[in-house]
């Protein structure tokens, strides 16, 4: 699917970033902007600023910034396409899909409507289960016995499904509604198709169980997990696969744990609902759990949208080792040089809950810190059952480890492991590489080619993997991994280049080196630079300029003139737009880096309340002063041309005198403004 760049720009222009961010962050008016506690790093005093004029957010503490789409991607964990659809839906816009047939578009719209309806049904059931818990002393005793407080139960929305066969009939008057079966709440027993829908037996799927709502990253209920109060089987029961719920893609507790990933610095993946709830109760709110399935690549991919470090926790028995082995397969494609993936094996007699209660939170935190790195566990898994003292055993390990090593993306970690593997199997690294290259098709490459992206891309297309990553489209959120396909059409993958991490743009917990500011000991900004910054910060000023000034700015040499020419066309096509929307329209254009560089230093502290008009007036005065000096230089150049034409053009001298009169008037204005030294 491709989404036209013009639509992205229009969407950003229409969206209200204050409203979008305000749903997740408590904001308070602070002059022209709004301030709040940054949701991307822990802080006690607000440094997170949201600008309604620029339609941009910026944190002065950690450097994270972006527009409404970027916020939904970064905070709500949405993919680019999902964020665009979500934002467009909020403003009643239809996302154009030029390469999709009308029938496919209609099916997609129907599917989205069905998903919204199903989540409404599940939310209603969740409310009923929470109310039922208040009148269920057995369930309350069970939760208390597991050490779950009322506060934690409320945080996770825990409820109780009564023991009756049709308890939900009192919640949904139309118990025969097909949506109840489609959402997985009701089972329809049709005796192998012998009965009509009206005669089929219907009953609640969940009965006499503690209920754990499963939420997606947007906080919507998409399914349930139910646990029996005793030892009946099955102990845990999950919702079936539905249009809104897939066990292989969802993680229990992800919605609740997102902020804790950043605070704690890692995600802890456990094996059950109660592990997640108990860990949150005991001081580890950064835990999530798979839903009765092995950890998949989609699980890992989803986690790495929120953190750069993942620790898998398993029991130390044979079953735990098997689960860890499957998690290893899911994690290897995401084992880049900048990520940490570890495996924690608890003593056989403990789960995380019991270990913390027995040894304390500090001991568990230390246990986590000493977890087995992915590289070591991969080698341990590959050499299992191989006698490395014999040539046959070493050859066996070589065969075992090859598909694991090949699944990794290219990088320093992968190359180091090649050397370690070669040492273990007593081969030279080059010889081992040649052996694998000739034995079968070469290992799957992770880094992609090194060719550069094509210039001025016009459309943004969904990547082939899951359609959920921003790729190269969104500069504030670089690709989650360096081997994913790019977002632009007809564009080759840019090879990942390691960067120095420092204070600046956020990369899921780390920060990209920021654009060097135009201050300090560096080269001071030119007058065209200042004009660009001021006009991009408030496009309404461009609309107020005279035709002569428009011509002067559009005639500037190089990128400055091209940028102002483009800006003028944007005003005619779209009207006045905030910087966030203009930024979208600049994607891929030759002068986009100039605009980004100049605007990167325009983020100042919030304007004090009541001084907004004064701030705008001062900006307009600054722009007027800069343009006066630029106009004076332009008139001076025209005077030189007139003098050079004297003797050839009889009107040259007259033109010179007229220009001189204009310059005198202009210089008087400059002196009166007090900026004659500028």
């Amino acid at each position: 699917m491709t989404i036209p760049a013009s639509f992205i720009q229009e969407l950003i222009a229409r969206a209200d970033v204050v409203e979008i961010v305000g749903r997740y962050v408590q904001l308070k008016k602070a002059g022209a902007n709004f301030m709040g506690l940054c949701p991307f790093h822990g802080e006690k005093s607000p440094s997170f600023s949201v600008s309604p004029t620029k339609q941009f957010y910026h944190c002065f503490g950690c450097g994270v910034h972006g527009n409404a789409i970027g916020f939904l991607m970064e905070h709500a964990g949405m993919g680019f396409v999902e964020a665009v659809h979500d934002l467009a839906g909020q403003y009643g816009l239809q996302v154009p899909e030029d390469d999709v047939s009308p029938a496919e578009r209609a099916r997609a719209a129907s599917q989205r409507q069905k998903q919204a309806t199903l989540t409404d049904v599940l939310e209603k059931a969740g409310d009923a289960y929470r109310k039922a818990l208040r009148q269920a002393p057995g369930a309350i005793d069970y939760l208390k016995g597991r050490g779950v407080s009322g506060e934690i139960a409320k945080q996770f929305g825990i409820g109780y499904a009564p023991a009756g066969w049709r308890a939900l009939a009192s919640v949904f008057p139309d118990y025969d509604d097909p949506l109840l079966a489609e959402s997985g709440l009701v089972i329809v027993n049709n005796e192998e198709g012998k009965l009509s829908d009206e005669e089929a037996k219907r009953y609640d799927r969940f009965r006499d169980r503690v209920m754990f709502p499963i939420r997606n990253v947007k906080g919507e209920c998409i399914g349930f997990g139910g646990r029996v109060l005793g030892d009946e089987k099955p102990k845990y029961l999950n919702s079936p696969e539905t249009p809104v719920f897939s066990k292989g893609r969802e993680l229990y507790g992800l919605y609740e744990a997102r902020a804790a990933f950043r605070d704690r610095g890692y995600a802890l993946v456990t094996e059950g609902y109660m592990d997640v709830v108990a860990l949150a109760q005991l001081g580890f709110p950064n835990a999530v759990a798979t839903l009765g399935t092995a950890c998949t690549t989609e699980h890992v991919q989803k986690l790495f949208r929120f953190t750069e470090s993942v620790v898998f926790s398993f029991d130390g028995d044979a079953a735990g080792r098997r689960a860890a082995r499957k998690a290893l397969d899911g994690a290897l494609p995401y084992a880049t040089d900048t990520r940490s993936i570890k495996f924690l094996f608890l003593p056989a007699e403990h789960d995380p809950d019991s270990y913390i209660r027995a040894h304390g939170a500090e001991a568990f935190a230390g246990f986590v810190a000493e977890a087995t790195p992915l590289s070591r566990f991969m080698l341990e898994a590959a050499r299992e059952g191989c006698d490395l003292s014999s040539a046959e055993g070493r050859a066996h390990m070589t065969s075992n480890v090859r598909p694991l090593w090949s699944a990794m993306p290219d990088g320093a970690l992968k190359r180091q492991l090649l050397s370690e593997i070669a040492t273990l199997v007593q081969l030279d690294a080059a010889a081992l590489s040649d052996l694998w290259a000739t034995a079968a098709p070469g290992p799957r490459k992770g880094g992609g080619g090194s060719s550069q992206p094509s210039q001025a891309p016009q459309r943004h297309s969904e990547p082939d993997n899951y359609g959920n990553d921003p790729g190269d489209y969104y500069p504030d959120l670089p690709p989650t991994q360096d081997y994913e396909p790019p977002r632009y059409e007809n564009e080759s993958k840019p090879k990942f280049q390691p960067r120095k991490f420092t204070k600046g743009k956020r990369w899921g917990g780390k920060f990209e080196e920021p654009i060097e500011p135009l201050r300090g000991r560096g080269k001071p900004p030119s007058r065209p630079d200042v004009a660009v910054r001021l006009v991009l910060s408030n496009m309404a000023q461009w609309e107020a300029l005279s035709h002569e000034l428009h011509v002067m700015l559009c005639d500037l040499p190089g990128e400055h003139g091209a940028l102002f020419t483009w800006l003028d066309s944007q005003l005619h096509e779209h009207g006045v737009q905030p910087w966030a929307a203009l930024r979208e329209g600049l994607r891929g254009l030759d002068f986009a880096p100039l605009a980004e560089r100049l605007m990167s230093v325009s983020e100042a502290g919030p304007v004090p309340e009541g001084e907004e008009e004064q701030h705008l007036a001062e900006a307009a005065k600054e722009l007027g002063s800069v343009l006066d000096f630029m106009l004076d230089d332009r008139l001076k150049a025209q005077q030189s041309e007139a003098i050079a034409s004297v003797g050839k053009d009889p009107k040259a001298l007259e033109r010179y005198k007229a220009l001189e009169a204009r310059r005198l008037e202009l210089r008087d204005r400059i002196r009166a403004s007090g900026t004659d030294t500028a």
Side-chain angles (χ1 to χ4, degrees):
M1 182 190 75
T2 59
I3 302 175
S6 58
F7 177 79
I8 302 298
Q9 188 175 353
E10 179 188 357
L11 179 60
I12 292 297
R14 289 203 190 188
D16 182 359
V17 71
V18 175
E19 179 188 354
I20 301 301
V21 174
R23 296 173 188 173
Y24 303 89
V25 180
Q26 187 173 355
L27 298 174
K28 185 178 180 181
K29 192 80 163 65
N33 297 335
F34 290 80
M35 299 293 293
L37 296 176
C38 180
F40 302 112
H41 81 286
E43 62 177 12
K44 295 182 180 178
S45 57
S47 61
F48 186 75
S49 172
V50 185
S51 169
T53 55
K54 294 180 182 177
Q55 285 297 302
F56 221 58
Y57 64 87
H58 178 86
C59 178
F60 298 98
C62 68
V64 63
H65 60 268
N67 57 28
I69 293 176
F71 186 84
L72 290 175
M73 293 168 66
E74 176 75 356
H75 188 266
M78 299 183 192
F80 170 72
V81 174
E82 183 184 4
V84 170
H85 276 282
D86 186 272
L87 194 61
Q90 294 179 44
Y91 290 92
L93 298 176
Q94 177 66 43
V95 179
E97 302 167 1
D98 291 347
D99 59 348
V100 177
S101 69
E104 290 173 331
R105 192 174 301 137
R107 280 196 297 271
S110 174
Q111 180 72 3
R112 286 192 292 271
Q113 180 60 42
K114 173 62 69 67
Q115 290 173 344
T117 305
L118 288 176
T119 55
D120 288 343
V121 169
L122 291 163
E123 290 283 3
K124 188 174 181 179
D127 289 340
Y129 291 145
R130 283 186 284 276
K131 290 177 182 176
L133 177 62
R134 299 170 195 163
Q135 285 81 42
I140 293 174
D141 289 342
Y142 169 80
L143 291 172
K144 286 182 177 179
R146 295 296 300 264
V148 178
S149 68
E151 183 181 351
I152 291 295
K154 181 179 179 180
Q155 178 185 337
F156 285 90
I158 297 174
Y160 172 70
W165 285 89
R166 295 166 65 96
L168 286 177
S170 62
V171 180
F172 299 95
D174 184 7
Y175 192 72
D176 293 335
D177 188 343
L179 287 172
L180 294 179
E182 195 168 356
S183 65
L185 293 171
V186 167
I187 294 174
V188 179
N189 186 351
N190 198 5
E191 296 186 6
E192 300 181 355
K194 295 178 181 177
L195 302 175
S196 66
D197 288 342
E198 292 75 16
E199 297 171 321
K201 298 176 182 177
R202 294 173 180 267
Y203 53 92
D204 293 357
R205 180 179 300 274
F206 300 101
R207 305 178 303 281
D208 194 21
R209 290 177 181 267
V210 174
M211 298 296 289
F212 301 86
I214 302 165
R215 296 163 172 158
N216 61 19
V217 292
K218 293 187 285 185
E220 299 168 336
C221 183
I222 56 174
F224 291 95
R227 193 200 189 283
V228 295
L229 303 182
D231 294 323
E232 296 85 4
K233 302 296 181 182
K235 184 182 291 186
Y236 285 99
L237 181 65
N238 289 321
S239 290
E241 298 281 316
T242 71
V244 296
F245 177 59
S246 172
K247 288 183 283 188
R249 287 197 293 267
E250 302 298 338
L251 289 158
Y252 177 72
L254 180 61
Y255 175 73
E256 292 81 3
R258 295 168 307 155
F261 290 166
R262 296 186 177 95
D263 294 340
R264 291 300 182 115
Y266 68 95
L268 181 63
V269 184
T270 61
E271 296 188 78
Y273 307 109
M274 281 307 305
D275 287 334
V276 172
V277 174
L279 283 167
Q281 178 79 54
L282 297 170
F284 292 86
N286 54 323
V288 296
T290 54
L291 299 165
T293 64
C295 188
T296 66
T297 55
E298 291 175 270
H299 287 139
V300 179
Q301 182 197 37
K302 185 166 286 191
L303 285 169
F304 278 126
R305 291 185 202 147
F306 299 94
T307 180
E308 293 294 294
S309 182
V310 175
V311 178
F312 293 99
S313 174
F314 298 99
D315 296 339
D317 56 14
R321 284 274 167 176
R322 286 194 298 271
R325 181 64 179 78
K326 291 178 180 177
L328 174 66
D329 290 336
L332 282 169
Y334 298 90
T336 65
D337 297 343
T338 59
R339 290 178 177 150
S340 170
I341 301 171
K342 293 184 177 182
F343 295 82
L344 173 68
F345 296 99
L346 292 166
E349 68 275 14
H350 282 298
D351 58 24
D353 180 13
S354 65
Y355 188 92
I356 294 173
R357 294 185 188 280
H359 302 284
E362 249 184 76
F364 184 74
F367 208 47
V368 170
E370 296 172 2
T372 305
L374 174 140
S375 56
R376 194 197 317 162
F377 182 57
M378 186 186 92
L379 296 179
E380 289 175 1
R383 67 185 296 175
E384 187 174 354
C386 300
D387 179 9
L388 298 189
S389 64
S390 68
E392 290 82 358
R394 292 191 294 273
H396 190 182
M397 178 183 172
T398 303
S399 176
N400 288 348
V401 78
R402 181 178 183 272
L404 303 178
W405 181 86
S406 299
M408 297 177 67
D410 193 19
L413 176 61
K414 185 175 185 178
R415 297 185 185 189
Q416 289 180 78
L417 277 172
L418 180 66
S419 297
E420 288 193 35
I421 294 166
T423 300
L424 285 171
V425 300
Q426 297 182 19
L427 285 174
D428 179 79
L432 179 60
S433 182
D434 290 342
L435 174 66
W436 282 345
T438 56
R444 185 169 70 226
K445 300 297 288 182
S450 59
S451 56
Q452 296 300 314
S454 57
Q455 294 298 314
Q458 295 301 310
R459 298 181 184 276
H460 311 297
S461 53
E462 184 176 6
D464 294 333
N465 50 358
Y466 304 108
N468 286 332
D469 286 291
D472 287 331
Y473 166 74
Y474 198 75
D476 293 337
L477 299 168
T480 311
Q481 51 278 331
D482 56 315
Y483 53 88
E484 289 187 343
R487 187 163 299 282
Y488 292 124
E489 293 185 79
N490 305 319
E491 172 177 279
S492 56
K493 289 183 280 188
K495 190 169 183 178
F496 175 79
Q497 297 294 330
R499 290 180 179 266
K500 172 185 176 183
F501 290 106
T502 181
K503 185 176 179 181
K505 295 181 182 178
R506 187 180 186 91
W507 279 27
K510 296 183 184 290
F511 300 90
E512 181 189 356
E513 189 172 5
I515 300 169
E516 184 177 353
L518 299 174
R519 53 176 178 260
R521 297 184 180 181
K523 183 179 179 181
S526 65
R527 286 169 183 159
D529 284 345
V530 175
V532 166
R533 175 176 58 80
L534 291 170
V535 172
L536 289 179
S537 296
N538 182 8
M539 191 182 177
Q541 294 190 100
W542 177 261
E543 190 175 30
L545 297 181
S546 67
H547 176 71
E548 180 184 34
L549 293 177
H550 281 176
V551 172
M552 177 188 74
L553 293 172
C554 292
D555 284 348
L556 288 172
E559 293 180 339
H560 291 88
L563 195 156
F564 280 117
T565 301
W566 174 83
L567 191 68
D568 192 52
S569 70
Q570 291 296 297
L571 181 66
H572 291 296
E573 291 178 19
H574 304 288
V576 174
Q577 301 175 80
W579 160 238
L582 292 172
R583 189 182 191 189
E584 297 304 318
L586 284 164
R587 303 289 183 207
L589 300 180
D590 292 341
F591 42 81
L594 170 68
E596 291 275 4
R597 178 171 61 88
L598 296 173
M599 290 301 289
S600 70
V601 297
S602 69
E603 296 292 344
V607 179
E609 192 166 3
E611 298 182 14
E612 297 92 334
E613 291 186 9
Q614 180 184 346
H615 176 75
L616 291 174
E618 288 175 354
K621 181 179 178 182
E622 183 183 3
L623 178 62
S625 175
V626 167
L627 294 181
D628 279 347
F629 277 100
M630 293 176 67
L631 182 58
D632 184 62
D633 289 340
R634 182 180 175 88
L635 294 175
K636 184 178 179 180
Q638 291 174 353
Q639 278 186 308
S640 298
E641 293 174 3
I643 289 294
S645 300
V646 172
K648 300 176 185 177
D649 182 355
K651 294 185 178 181
L653 189 58
E654 182 182 344
R655 190 163 63 251
Y656 175 86
K657 291 179 179 179
L659 290 168
E660 180 64 19
R662 286 204 62 199
R663 285 196 68 200
L664 287 173
E665 180 184 344
L666 189 59
R667 297 301 295 182
D668 286 343
R669 189 166 73 214
I670 292 173
R671 277 192 292 271
S673 68
T675 57
D676 195 28
T677 58

